[in-house]
Amino acid sequence: MRRRRGVVAAGLMLVAVAAVSATAVPAPAAAAREGAASHLATAAAAAPVAGPSARAAELVAQMSTAEQAASIVMGHVAGTDPADLHAYMESGLGGFILMGANIPASEAELQTLTAALAVDPALPPLVAVDQEGGIVSRLAGDDYPASTTLKDLPVGDTAAAFAARGSLVARAGITVNFGTVADVTSDPGSFIYGRALGTDPAGAAERVTVATTAQERFLGSTLKHFPGHGAAPGDSHHAIPSTGMSLEEWRASDAVPFAAGIDAGASLLMFGHLAYTAVDAAPASMSATWHEIARDQLGFEGVAVTDDLGMLTSSGVPAYADPIANAVTAVAAGNDLVLMIAGSSRETAGQMAAAIAAAVDAGVLPSERLEDAATRVMVLRLQMSSATSAWTVCPDCAPAD
C-alpha cells in the first residue's frame, strides 16, 4: 500500500505541518505570507526499525482471537461526551465512525472527542467520517465544491476541493474519510447521481484520481460503493439494488473509476450492498468473488470495508436479517473491517466481535482470514499514527501550489 503523507499547505485557508516517520519532508513552496501565524508540529520520534507491515504482523500475532476480532470492528454510538466514548472504545475496537450525533458545536470540542477515542495514544483506532461534501456532509465549515457541481467543472477544481476537504477532516483528528464516491451514472434520476463525481467512466476516473491523491496526503481515503452503484438502480439503504451487467461490461464502465482510485493509492475500498447477478447473486459486501476481483484483477492491497451492515438488514431480505451473522459472512467473504450504524446499539459492535471470534473457534471462519484482516487494519492504524500534525487557521495564507 502506497503512503504519501507529508508536510502540505492545503485547504486554501489551513496550514498543516507534519512529520512522517523515516523521512524528513521540506516545507511546501507556497508558505504563508510574512507575519502569518503558523503552528509547527514537534518532529516524530526516531523511525521504527521495522516498517508498518512487519510491525502490524508482530502486533497481531500477539493478540488473542477475541482481540483480533475486536480490532476489525468499527463501532458507533451516538453522543459527544468524550469520557463516555472513551469507555466505549475500551473493549478494543479497531475503529469508530462519527455520525451527525457525534459532532459537537466547536472544532476544539471535536478534537477533544476524537482524541478521547484512543485508549492507547500510541496506537489510536481508525476514526472515520462520511465527508463527501454537499449532499453527505457531517462537519461544519465544508463550503468547498462538491459532487453536485464538480462533475461539470474542470478536474483541477476537484483536486482543490478535496485537498481542502481532506485537511478539514484531518484537522479534527479524523484519520479515515469515507468520502470519495467512485460510482458513475449519467442518469439524473439515479439515487447516486448527485453524489457521483462523474457522468461517464473516464470523467469520473479523472476526478476520483485527483480526489484520492489530494486526501491521501492527510488521511486514509475510501473509494465507494464497489463495484458501482450507478449500474444497479435503487437505494441500498433500504434494498439490495441489482443489475444483470456482465463482468466484461463492468470492466469497461463502472470499474474504471475504482481502478483509477486504486492506482492512485486509496487506502480503503468500501463494498456496497449491490448485487451484480451475472457475477454473483450475493451482494458484493457478502461476496468472495467480488473481493477476489478487487484484489486479483484491480490490485487493491488496502483495507476492504463493508458499507453499513444495518443497511443490509434494512433491505428486508430474510437471508440478511441477522446483522451479527452478516458480520461473520462479510469477514469470510474478504472484508477486513466491518461496521454497523443503522439499528445498532451500544452492544452491537461487541456482539459482532464475539461472533467473529466464535466462528474462528468453531472452525467456520479460518483463523488465517481473521489474522489477515486484523493485519491489514493494523497496518493502516500504524500508518495513520506515524505522522504528527498540527493545524492552525491562517487567514492570510496564499493558496498551495
Side-chain angles (χ1 to χ4, degrees):
M1 195 189 321
R2 296 187 292 274
R3 187 61 44 214
R4 297 169 305 285
R5 309 198 194 285
V7 182
V8 181
L12 305 185
M13 298 297 287
L14 303 177
V15 172
V17 181
V20 181
S21 65
T23 306
V25 184
R33 293 176 185 166
E34 184 177 355
S38 65
H39 186 188
L40 301 180
T42 302
V49 175
S53 295
R55 179 58 177 154
E58 178 184 353
L59 291 172
V60 170
Q62 296 170 0
M63 291 178 170
S64 67
T65 298
E67 290 170 334
Q68 290 177 2
S71 78
I72 68 167
V73 176
M74 179 166 276
H76 171 74
V77 287
T80 57
D81 180 358
D84 180 63
L85 295 181
H86 182 87
Y88 173 76
M89 294 300 292
E90 286 179 337
S91 61
L93 300 178
F96 187 92
I97 180 168
L98 299 164
M99 300 298 287
N102 299 119
I103 309 302
S106 71
E107 184 179 72
E109 290 173 302
L110 179 56
Q111 290 169 338
T112 298
L113 185 152
T114 55
L117 293 169
V119 175
D120 177 3
L123 184 62
L126 299 176
V127 180
V129 71
D130 287 308
Q131 191 65 27
E132 300 171 16
I135 294 171
V136 178
S137 189
R138 314 291 185 211
L139 304 183
D142 186 349
D143 299 321
Y144 309 109
S147 54
T148 50
T149 57
L150 288 174
K151 58 169 58 72
D152 299 316
L153 296 174
V155 174
D157 289 50
T158 298
F162 276 89
R165 185 163 290 121
S167 63
L168 179 70
V169 171
R171 191 172 74 170
I174 299 167
T175 52
V176 169
N177 189 17
F178 295 146
T180 308
V181 176
D183 308 293
V184 57
T185 180
S186 60
D187 178 10
S190 169
F191 157 73
I192 206 67
Y193 178 83
R195 296 165 60 191
L197 286 170
T199 57
D200 65 272
E206 288 182 312
R207 290 167 177 80
V208 166
T209 295
V210 298
T212 299
T213 301
Q215 291 178 92
E216 284 287 327
R217 297 185 178 119
F218 309 114
L219 43 75
S221 70
T222 308
L223 306 173
K224 63 184 186 184
H225 310 77
F226 187 79
H229 220 307
D235 184 346
S236 58
H237 289 85
H238 312 294
I240 301 176
S242 65
T243 176
M245 177 182 281
S246 70
L247 188 59
E248 292 71 23
E249 291 174 311
W250 173 79
R251 288 193 185 106
S253 57
D254 291 63
V256 175
F258 287 100
I262 289 169
D263 287 345
S267 293
L268 301 98
L269 180 64
M270 179 178 283
F271 284 71
H273 308 312
L274 312 169
Y276 279 63
T277 56
V279 180
D280 192 338
S285 55
M286 303 284 116
S287 168
T289 299
W290 277 113
H291 284 79
E292 291 167 2
I293 290 169
R295 299 289 188 195
D296 299 339
Q297 297 186 23
L298 299 188
F300 180 65
E301 298 177 355
V303 171
V305 58
T306 67
D307 204 346
D308 175 13
L309 291 176
M311 293 163 51
L312 189 59
T313 304
S314 300
S315 70
V317 177
Y320 305 114
D322 182 353
I324 308 304
N326 291 342
V328 176
T329 302
V331 176
N335 288 284
D336 305 308
L337 188 63
V338 295
L339 73 150
M340 179 173 169
I341 305 164
S344 66
S345 69
R346 195 176 186 88
E347 291 74 37
T348 300
Q351 292 169 347
M352 291 166 64
I356 293 167
V360 172
D361 291 340
V364 175
L365 178 67
S367 60
E368 295 82 6
R369 170 78 277 270
L370 174 58
E371 290 169 7
D372 177 62
T375 302
R376 289 183 187 276
V377 172
M378 184 63 72
V379 167
L380 187 57
R381 290 174 66 181
L382 290 171
Q383 289 173 334
M384 295 300 101
S385 63
S386 67
T388 56
S389 301
W391 302 82
T392 186
V393 176
C394 183
D396 296 325
C397 284
D401 289 334

